[in-house]
Amino acid sequence: QVQLVESGGGSVQAGGSLRLSCAASGRTFSRYNMGWFRQAPGKEREFVADINWSGGSTRYAGSVKGRFTISRDIAKNTVYLQMNTLKPEDTAVYYCAADALLTGTNYDYWGQGTQVTVSS
């Protein structure tokens, strides 16, 4: 069973930066597509960014494009989300997810989430 554990969440002022980490179990992480999602209270979960298994292709939601960067360290079984120029509307619980079957759309495993709060 794949286990994903997010960390790095916290409180930051608008305009600040934060880096989230997601540690994955198993060496097969190296062949998973990985993604970040977020959910604010009363709102649907939304896609934030993802990265393919090789790290050579990334996608971003329009709301974060140019501000967030997803990356991965295969050797450390870790995926990152660097968040810059944070806005209050970025406040949400952020979830790491793994697309183990390489569907490009469906994620099979999810972390517990980490809270990100951006104050103005």
Side-chain angles (χ1 to χ4, degrees):
Q1 189 78 297
V2 176
Q3 294 183 357
L4 304 173
V5 180
E6 302 96 334
S7 62
S11 298
V12 64
Q13 293 184 338
S17 299
L18 205 61
R19 188 174 77 160
L20 305 182
S21 298
C22 173
S25 65
R27 301 306 298 173
T28 53
F29 165 85
S30 64
R31 296 292 178 174
Y32 296 169
N33 297 330
M34 300 295 296
W36 286 97
F37 295 77
R38 67 187 183 186
Q39 186 170 24
K43 297 183 179 180
E44 295 184 354
R45 182 182 63 192
E46 66 173 339
F47 168 80
V48 176
D50 63 10
I51 185 167
N52 77 330
W53 67 269
S54 70
S57 181
T58 59
R59 300 183 295 184
Y60 297 92
S63 59
V64 307
K65 186 177 181 180
R67 299 188 297 119
F68 291 10
T69 302
I70 187 170
S71 62
R72 67 192 301 167
D73 186 329
I74 301 299
K76 295 182 178 179
N77 284 0
T78 302
V79 62
Y80 304 96
L81 184 67
Q82 178 66 47
M83 304 183 292
N84 297 327
T85 319
L86 283 162
K87 304 175 180 179
E89 49 263 46
D90 294 319
T91 296
V93 176
Y94 284 70
Y95 297 91
C96 175
D99 172 17
L101 300 180
L102 306 181
T103 67
T105 55
N106 297 327
Y107 290 82
D108 312 285
Y109 304 99
W110 297 80
Q112 83 287 353
T114 185
Q115 177 70 47
V116 172
T117 302
V118 184
S119 62
S120 60

